[in-house]
Coordinates of all heavy atoms in Angstrom, one line a residue:
G1 N 0.8 -1.2 0.0 CA 0.0 0.0 0.0 C 0.9 1.2 0.0 O 2.0 1.3 0.5
V2 N 0.3 2.3 -0.5 CA 1.0 3.5 -0.6 C 0.8 4.4 0.6 O 1.5 5.5 0.7 CB 0.7 4.3 -1.9 CG1 1.1 3.6 -3.1 CG2 -0.8 4.7 -1.9
G3 N 0.0 4.0 1.5 CA -0.1 4.8 2.8 C -1.5 5.1 3.2 O -1.8 6.0 4.0
N4 N -2.5 4.4 2.7 CA -3.9 4.6 3.1 C -4.2 3.7 4.3 O -3.8 2.6 4.4 CB -4.8 4.3 2.0 CG -6.2 4.8 2.2 OD1 -6.4 5.7 3.0 ND2 -7.2 4.3 1.5
F5 N -5.0 4.2 5.2 CA -5.5 3.5 6.4 C -6.8 4.1 6.8 O -7.1 5.2 6.4 CB -4.5 3.4 7.5 CG -4.0 4.7 8.0 CD1 -4.7 5.3 9.0 CD2 -2.9 5.3 7.5 CE1 -4.3 6.5 9.5 CE2 -2.5 6.5 8.0 CZ -3.2 7.1 9.0
P6 N -7.6 3.4 7.6 CA -8.9 4.0 8.1 C -8.7 5.3 8.8 O -7.9 5.5 9.7 CB -9.5 2.9 9.0 CG -8.8 1.7 8.6 CD -7.4 2.1 8.2
A7 N -9.5 6.3 8.4 CA -9.5 7.6 9.0 C -9.8 7.6 10.5 O -9.3 8.4 11.3 CB -10.4 8.6 8.3
A8 N -10.5 6.6 10.9 CA -10.9 6.5 12.3 C -9.6 6.3 13.2 O -9.6 6.6 14.4 CB -11.8 5.3 12.6
W9 N -8.5 5.8 12.6 CA -7.3 5.6 13.4 C -6.7 6.9 13.8 O -5.8 7.0 14.7 CB -6.3 4.8 12.6 CG -6.7 3.4 12.4 CD1 -7.8 2.7 12.7 CD2 -5.9 2.4 11.7 NE1 -7.8 1.4 12.3 CE2 -6.6 1.2 11.7 CE3 -4.6 2.4 11.1 CZ2 -6.2 0.0 11.2 CZ3 -4.2 1.2 10.6 CH2 -4.9 0.0 10.6
L10 N -7.0 8.0 13.1 CA -6.4 9.3 13.4 C -6.6 9.8 14.8 O -5.8 10.4 15.4 CB -6.8 10.4 12.4 CG -6.2 10.2 11.0 CD1 -6.7 11.2 10.0 CD2 -4.6 10.4 11.1
E11 N -7.8 9.5 15.3 CA -8.1 9.9 16.7 C -7.1 9.1 17.7 O -6.6 9.7 18.6 CB -9.6 9.5 17.1 CG -10.0 9.9 18.4 CD -11.4 9.6 18.7 OE1 -12.2 9.5 17.8 OE2 -11.8 9.5 19.9
F12 N -6.9 7.9 17.4 CA -6.0 7.1 18.2 C -4.6 7.6 18.1 O -3.9 7.8 19.1 CB -6.0 5.6 17.8 CG -5.0 4.7 18.4 CD1 -5.2 4.1 19.6 CD2 -3.8 4.4 17.7 CE1 -4.2 3.3 20.2 CE2 -2.9 3.6 18.3 CZ -3.1 3.1 19.5
L13 N -4.2 7.9 16.9 CA -2.8 8.4 16.7 C -2.6 9.8 17.3 O -1.6 10.1 17.9 CB -2.5 8.5 15.2 CG -2.4 7.1 14.4 CD1 -2.2 7.3 12.9 CD2 -1.3 6.3 15.0
T14 N -3.6 10.6 17.2 CA -3.6 12.0 17.8 C -3.4 11.9 19.3 O -2.5 12.6 19.8 CB -4.9 12.8 17.4 OG1 -5.0 12.9 16.0 CG2 -4.8 14.1 18.1
A15 N -4.2 11.0 19.9 CA -4.1 10.9 21.4 C -2.7 10.4 21.8 O -2.1 10.9 22.8 CB -5.1 9.9 21.9
H16 N -2.1 9.5 21.0 CA -0.8 9.0 21.4 C 0.3 10.0 21.0 O 1.4 10.1 21.7 CB -0.6 7.6 20.8 CG -1.4 6.6 21.5 ND1 -2.7 6.4 21.3 CD2 -1.0 5.7 22.5 CE1 -3.1 5.5 22.1 NE2 -2.1 5.0 22.8
A17 N 0.2 10.7 19.9 CA 1.1 11.7 19.5 C 1.2 12.8 20.6 O 2.3 13.3 20.9 CB 0.8 12.3 18.2
E18 N 0.1 13.2 21.2 CA 0.0 14.2 22.2 C 0.7 13.7 23.5 O 1.2 14.5 24.3 CB -1.4 14.5 22.6 CG -2.1 15.3 21.5 CD -3.6 15.5 21.7 OE1 -4.2 14.9 22.6 OE2 -4.2 16.3 20.9
R19 N 0.9 12.4 23.7 CA 1.6 11.8 24.8 C 3.1 11.6 24.5 O 3.8 11.2 25.3 CB 1.0 10.4 25.2 CG -0.4 10.6 25.7 CD -1.0 9.2 26.1 NE -0.1 8.3 26.6 CZ -0.2 6.9 26.4 NH1 -1.2 6.5 25.7 NH2 0.7 6.1 26.9
G20 N 3.5 12.0 23.3 CA 4.9 12.0 22.9 C 5.3 10.7 22.1 O 6.5 10.5 21.9
L21 N 4.3 9.9 21.8 CA 4.7 8.6 21.1 C 5.0 9.0 19.6 O 4.4 9.8 19.0 CB 3.5 7.7 21.1 CG 3.7 6.3 20.4 CD1 4.6 5.5 21.3 CD2 2.4 5.6 20.2
R22 N 6.1 8.4 19.1 CA 6.5 8.6 17.7 C 5.7 7.7 16.9 O 5.4 6.5 17.2 CB 8.0 8.3 17.5 CG 8.9 9.3 18.2 CD 10.3 9.1 17.8 NE 10.9 7.9 18.5 CZ 12.1 7.4 18.2 NH1 12.8 7.9 17.2 NH2 12.5 6.4 18.8
I23 N 5.2 8.2 15.7 CA 4.4 7.5 14.8 C 5.2 7.1 13.6 O 5.8 8.0 13.0 CB 3.1 8.3 14.4 CG1 2.3 8.7 15.7 CG2 2.3 7.5 13.4 CD1 1.3 9.7 15.4
Y24 N 5.2 5.9 13.2 CA 5.9 5.4 12.1 C 5.0 4.6 11.2 O 4.3 3.7 11.6 CB 7.0 4.5 12.6 CG 7.9 3.9 11.5 CD1 8.8 4.7 10.9 CD2 7.8 2.6 11.2 CE1 9.6 4.2 9.9 CE2 8.7 2.0 10.2 CZ 9.5 2.8 9.6 OH 10.4 2.3 8.6
L25 N 5.0 5.0 9.9 CA 4.1 4.3 8.9 C 5.0 3.3 8.1 O 6.1 3.6 7.7 CB 3.5 5.3 7.9 CG 2.7 6.4 8.6 CD1 2.3 7.4 7.5 CD2 1.6 5.9 9.3
S26 N 4.4 2.1 8.0 CA 5.1 1.0 7.3 C 4.0 0.4 6.4 O 2.8 0.7 6.5 CB 5.7 0.0 8.2 OG 6.5 -0.9 7.5
T27 N 4.4 -0.6 5.6 CA 3.5 -1.3 4.7 C 3.7 -2.8 4.8 O 4.8 -3.3 5.2 CB 3.6 -0.9 3.3 OG1 2.7 -1.6 2.5 CG2 5.0 -1.1 2.8
Q28 N 2.7 -3.6 4.5 CA 2.8 -5.0 4.5 C 3.0 -5.5 3.0 O 3.2 -6.7 2.8 CB 1.5 -5.7 5.0 CG 1.3 -5.4 6.5 CD 0.1 -6.1 7.0 OE1 -0.3 -7.1 6.5 NE2 -0.5 -5.6 8.1
C29 N 3.1 -4.6 2.1 CA 3.3 -4.9 0.7 C 4.8 -5.3 0.4 O 5.7 -4.8 1.1 CB 2.9 -3.8 -0.2 SG 1.1 -3.5 -0.2
E30 N 5.0 -6.2 -0.5 CA 6.3 -6.7 -0.8 C 7.1 -5.7 -1.6 O 8.3 -5.9 -1.7 CB 6.2 -8.0 -1.5 CG 5.7 -9.1 -0.6 CD 5.7 -10.5 -1.3 OE1 6.4 -10.7 -2.3 OE2 5.0 -11.4 -0.8
S31 N 6.5 -4.8 -2.3 CA 7.3 -3.8 -3.1 C 6.5 -2.5 -3.1 O 5.3 -2.4 -2.9 CB 7.5 -4.3 -4.5 OG 6.2 -4.5 -5.2
G32 N 7.2 -1.4 -3.5 CA 6.7 -0.1 -3.6 C 6.9 0.7 -2.4 O 7.0 0.3 -1.3
D33 N 7.0 2.0 -2.7 CA 7.2 3.0 -1.6 C 5.9 3.5 -1.0 O 4.9 3.5 -1.7 CB 8.0 4.2 -2.1 CG 9.4 3.8 -2.6 OD1 10.0 2.9 -2.0 OD2 9.9 4.5 -3.5
L34 N 6.0 4.0 0.2 CA 4.9 4.6 0.9 C 4.8 6.0 0.4 O 5.8 6.7 0.2 CB 5.1 4.6 2.4 CG 4.8 3.3 3.1 CD1 5.2 3.5 4.6 CD2 3.4 2.9 3.0
H35 N 3.5 6.5 0.1 CA 3.2 7.9 -0.2 C 2.0 8.3 0.5 O 0.9 8.5 -0.1 CB 3.0 8.0 -1.7 CG 4.3 7.8 -2.5 ND1 5.3 8.6 -2.6 CD2 4.6 6.7 -3.2 CE1 6.3 8.1 -3.3 NE2 5.9 6.9 -3.7
P36 N 2.1 8.4 1.9 CA 0.9 8.7 2.7 C 0.2 10.0 2.3 O -0.9 10.2 2.6 CB 1.4 8.6 4.1 CG 2.9 8.8 4.0 CD 3.3 8.3 2.7
E37 N 1.0 10.9 1.7 CA 0.4 12.2 1.4 C -0.7 12.2 0.3 O -1.4 13.1 0.1 CB 1.5 13.2 1.0 CG 2.2 12.9 -0.4 CD 3.2 11.8 -0.4 OE1 3.5 11.2 0.7 OE2 3.8 11.5 -1.4
L38 N -0.8 11.0 -0.3 CA -1.8 10.9 -1.3 C -3.2 10.7 -0.8 O -4.2 10.7 -1.5 CB -1.5 9.7 -2.2 CG -0.2 9.8 -3.0 CD1 0.1 8.5 -3.8 CD2 -0.2 11.0 -4.0
Y39 N -3.3 10.4 0.5 CA -4.6 10.1 1.1 C -4.8 11.0 2.3 O -3.9 11.4 3.0 CB -4.7 8.7 1.6 CG -4.7 7.7 0.5 CD1 -3.5 7.1 0.1 CD2 -5.8 7.3 -0.2 CE1 -3.4 6.2 -0.9 CE2 -5.8 6.4 -1.3 CZ -4.6 5.8 -1.6 OH -4.5 4.9 -2.7
A40 N -6.1 11.4 2.6 CA -6.4 12.3 3.7 C -5.9 11.7 5.0 O -5.3 12.4 5.9 CB -7.9 12.6 3.8
S41 N -6.1 10.4 5.3 CA -5.7 9.8 6.5 C -4.1 9.8 6.6 O -3.6 10.1 7.7 CB -6.2 8.4 6.7 OG -5.9 7.6 5.6
G42 N -3.5 9.5 5.5 CA -2.0 9.5 5.5 C -1.5 10.9 5.8 O -0.5 11.1 6.5
Q43 N -2.1 11.9 5.1 CA -1.6 13.2 5.3 C -1.9 13.7 6.8 O -1.1 14.4 7.4 CB -2.3 14.2 4.4 CG -1.8 15.6 4.5 CD -0.4 15.8 4.2 OE1 0.1 15.3 3.1 NE2 0.4 16.4 5.1
G44 N -3.0 13.2 7.3 CA -3.3 13.5 8.7 C -2.2 13.0 9.7 O -1.8 13.6 10.6
A45 N -1.8 11.7 9.4 CA -0.7 11.1 10.2 C 0.6 11.9 10.0 O 1.3 12.2 11.0 CB -0.5 9.7 9.8
L46 N 0.9 12.3 8.8 CA 2.1 13.2 8.6 C 2.0 14.5 9.3 O 3.0 14.9 9.9 CB 2.3 13.4 7.1 CG 2.7 12.2 6.2 CD1 2.7 12.6 4.7 CD2 4.0 11.6 6.7
D47 N 0.8 15.1 9.4 CA 0.6 16.3 10.1 C 0.9 16.1 11.6 O 1.2 17.1 12.3 CB -0.8 16.9 9.8 CG -1.0 17.3 8.4 OD1 0.0 17.5 7.7 OD2 -2.2 17.5 8.0
L48 N 0.7 14.9 12.1 CA 0.9 14.6 13.5 C 2.4 14.4 13.7 O 2.8 14.1 14.9 CB 0.1 13.4 13.9 CG -1.4 13.6 14.0 CD1 -2.0 12.2 14.2 CD2 -1.7 14.6 15.1
G49 N 3.2 14.4 12.7 CA 4.6 14.1 12.8 C 5.1 12.7 12.5 O 6.2 12.3 12.7
A50 N 4.1 11.9 11.9 CA 4.5 10.5 11.5 C 5.6 10.5 10.5 O 5.7 11.5 9.7 CB 3.2 9.9 10.9
K51 N 6.4 9.5 10.6 CA 7.5 9.3 9.6 C 7.1 8.1 8.7 O 6.5 7.1 9.2 CB 8.8 9.0 10.3 CG 9.2 10.1 11.2 CD 9.6 11.4 10.5 CE 10.1 12.4 11.5 NZ 10.0 13.7 11.0
S52 N 7.5 8.2 7.5 CA 7.2 7.1 6.5 C 8.6 6.5 6.2 O 9.5 7.2 5.7 CB 6.6 7.7 5.3 OG 6.4 6.7 4.3
G53 N 8.7 5.2 6.5 CA 10.0 4.6 6.4 C 10.2 3.7 5.2 O 9.3 3.6 4.3
P54 N 11.4 3.1 5.1 CA 11.7 2.3 3.9 C 11.0 1.0 4.0 O 10.4 0.6 5.0 CB 13.2 2.0 4.1 CG 13.5 2.2 5.5 CD 12.5 3.2 6.0
L55 N 10.9 0.3 2.9 CA 10.3 -1.0 2.8 C 10.9 -2.0 3.7 O 12.1 -2.2 3.7 CB 10.3 -1.5 1.3 CG 9.6 -2.8 1.0 CD1 8.1 -2.6 1.2 CD2 9.9 -3.2 -0.4
M56 N 10.1 -2.7 4.5 CA 10.6 -3.8 5.4 C 9.4 -4.7 5.8 O 8.3 -4.2 5.6 CB 11.3 -3.2 6.6 CG 10.4 -2.4 7.6 SD 11.3 -1.8 9.0 CE 12.1 -0.3 8.3
T57 N 9.7 -5.9 6.2 CA 8.6 -6.8 6.6 C 7.9 -6.2 7.8 O 8.5 -5.4 8.6 CB 9.2 -8.2 6.9 OG1 10.0 -8.1 8.1 CG2 9.9 -8.8 5.7
P58 N 6.7 -6.6 8.1 CA 6.0 -6.2 9.3 C 6.8 -6.6 10.6 O 6.8 -5.8 11.5 CB 4.6 -6.9 9.2 CG 4.4 -7.1 7.8 CD 5.8 -7.4 7.2
E59 N 7.3 -7.8 10.5 CA 8.1 -8.2 11.7 C 9.3 -7.3 12.0 O 9.6 -7.0 13.1 CB 8.6 -9.7 11.5 CG 7.5 -10.7 11.4 CD 6.9 -10.8 10.0 OE1 7.3 -10.2 9.0 OE2 5.9 -11.6 9.8
C60 N 10.0 -6.9 10.9 CA 11.1 -6.0 11.0 C 10.7 -4.7 11.6 O 11.3 -4.1 12.5 CB 11.8 -5.9 9.7 SG 13.2 -4.8 9.7
A61 N 9.6 -4.2 11.1 CA 9.0 -2.9 11.5 C 8.7 -2.9 13.0 O 9.0 -2.0 13.8 CB 7.8 -2.5 10.7
V62 N 8.1 -4.0 13.5 CA 7.8 -4.1 14.9 C 9.0 -4.2 15.8 O 9.1 -3.4 16.8 CB 6.9 -5.4 15.2 CG1 6.8 -5.7 16.6 CG2 5.5 -5.3 14.6
V63 N 10.0 -4.9 15.4 CA 11.2 -5.0 16.2 C 12.0 -3.7 16.2 O 12.5 -3.2 17.2 CB 12.2 -6.1 15.7 CG1 13.5 -6.1 16.3 CG2 11.5 -7.5 15.9
K64 N 12.0 -3.0 15.0 CA 12.7 -1.7 14.9 C 12.0 -0.7 15.8 O 12.6 0.1 16.5 CB 12.7 -1.3 13.5 CG 13.7 -0.2 13.2 CD 14.0 0.0 11.8 CE 15.1 0.9 11.5 NZ 15.4 1.0 10.1
M65 N 10.6 -0.7 15.8 CA 9.9 0.2 16.7 C 10.2 -0.1 18.2 O 10.3 0.8 19.0 CB 8.4 0.1 16.4 CG 7.6 1.1 17.2 SD 8.0 2.8 17.0 CE 7.0 3.2 15.6
M66 N 10.3 -1.4 18.5 CA 10.6 -1.8 19.9 C 12.0 -1.2 20.3 O 12.2 -0.7 21.4 CB 10.6 -3.3 20.1 CG 9.2 -3.8 20.0 SD 9.1 -5.6 19.8 CE 10.0 -6.3 21.1
L67 N 12.9 -1.3 19.4 CA 14.3 -0.7 19.6 C 14.1 0.8 19.8 O 14.8 1.4 20.7 CB 15.2 -1.0 18.5 CG 15.8 -2.4 18.4 CD1 16.6 -2.6 17.1 CD2 16.8 -2.5 19.6
A68 N 13.4 1.5 18.9 CA 13.2 2.9 19.0 C 12.5 3.4 20.3 O 12.8 4.5 20.8 CB 12.4 3.4 17.8
L69 N 11.6 2.6 20.8 CA 11.0 2.9 22.1 C 12.0 2.9 23.2 O 11.9 3.7 24.1 CB 9.8 2.0 22.4 CG 8.6 2.1 21.5 CD1 7.6 1.0 21.7 CD2 7.9 3.5 21.7
E70 N 12.9 2.0 23.2 CA 13.9 2.0 24.2 C 15.1 2.9 24.0 O 15.7 3.4 24.9 CB 14.5 0.5 24.3 CG 15.5 0.3 25.4 CD 15.0 0.5 26.8 OE1 13.8 0.4 27.1 OE2 15.8 0.9 27.7
H71 N 15.5 3.1 22.7 CA 16.6 3.9 22.4 C 16.2 5.1 21.4 O 16.0 4.8 20.3 CB 17.7 3.1 21.7 CG 18.1 1.9 22.5 ND1 18.9 2.0 23.6 CD2 17.8 0.6 22.4 CE1 19.1 0.8 24.2 NE2 18.4 -0.1 23.5
E72 N 16.0 6.3 22.0 CA 15.5 7.4 21.2 C 16.5 7.7 20.0 O 16.0 8.4 19.0 CB 15.3 8.6 22.0 CG 14.1 8.4 23.0 CD 13.8 9.7 23.7 OE1 14.1 10.8 23.2 OE2 13.2 9.6 24.7
S73 N 17.7 7.3 20.1 CA 18.7 7.6 19.0 C 18.4 6.8 17.7 O 19.0 7.1 16.7 CB 20.1 7.4 19.5 OG 20.3 6.1 19.8
V74 N 17.6 5.7 17.8 CA 17.4 4.8 16.7 C 16.5 5.6 15.7 O 15.4 6.1 16.0 CB 16.6 3.5 17.1 CG1 16.2 2.8 15.8 CG2 17.5 2.7 17.9
D75 N 17.0 5.8 14.5 CA 16.3 6.5 13.4 C 15.5 5.5 12.6 O 16.1 4.6 12.0 CB 17.3 7.2 12.5 CG 16.7 8.1 11.4 OD1 15.4 7.9 11.2 OD2 17.3 8.9 10.9
L76 N 14.2 5.6 12.7 CA 13.4 4.6 12.0 C 13.5 4.6 10.5 O 13.1 3.6 9.8 CB 11.9 4.8 12.4 CG 11.6 4.6 13.9 CD1 10.2 5.1 14.3 CD2 11.8 3.2 14.3
N77 N 14.0 5.7 10.0 CA 14.1 5.8 8.5 C 15.5 5.3 8.0 O 15.7 5.3 6.8 CB 13.9 7.2 8.1 CG 12.5 7.7 8.3 OD1 11.6 6.9 8.1 ND2 12.4 8.8 8.9
K78 N 16.3 4.8 8.8 CA 17.7 4.4 8.4 C 17.9 2.9 8.8 O 17.4 2.5 9.9 CB 18.7 5.2 9.0 CG 18.7 6.6 8.5 CD 19.9 7.4 8.8 CE 19.6 8.8 8.2 NZ 20.5 9.8 8.4
T79 N 18.6 2.2 8.0 CA 18.9 0.8 8.3 C 19.8 0.7 9.6 O 20.7 1.6 9.8 CB 19.6 0.1 7.1 OG1 19.8 -1.2 7.5 CG2 20.9 0.8 6.7
V80 N 19.6 -0.2 10.4 CA 20.4 -0.5 11.6 C 21.4 -1.6 11.3 O 22.6 -1.5 11.6 CB 19.5 -0.9 12.8 CG1 20.4 -1.2 14.0 CG2 18.6 0.3 13.2
V81 N 20.9 -2.7 10.7 CA 21.7 -3.8 10.4 C 21.4 -4.4 9.0 O 21.4 -5.6 8.8 CB 21.6 -5.0 11.4 CG1 22.2 -4.5 12.7 CG2 20.2 -5.4 11.6
G82 N 21.1 -3.5 8.0 CA 20.8 -3.9 6.7 C 19.4 -4.4 6.4 O 19.1 -5.0 5.4
E83 N 18.5 -4.0 7.3 CA 17.1 -4.5 7.2 C 16.3 -3.8 6.1 O 15.3 -4.2 5.7 CB 16.4 -4.4 8.5 CG 16.0 -3.1 9.0 CD 17.1 -2.3 9.6 OE1 18.3 -2.8 9.7 OE2 16.9 -1.2 10.1
A84 N 16.7 -2.6 5.8 CA 15.9 -1.8 4.9 C 16.3 -2.0 3.4 O 17.4 -2.3 3.1 CB 15.9 -0.3 5.2

């Protein structure tokens, strides 16, 4: 997917962004870049400060987010060990 998701999720994301949670957009598709700005919900997430990262498996995205929660220096948009 290029970055579309249910608009109802924006309320959840807004509440968590206000608490300081970093928002990271990823995809489950095997190829193609994210372009969340193409959809209202994706643009809403970007307006909240969401970052759109490189292509990676959902499992990789979860582990990378877990690392980022513990270590603020982890840049979600950059490869750590060749995963992107």
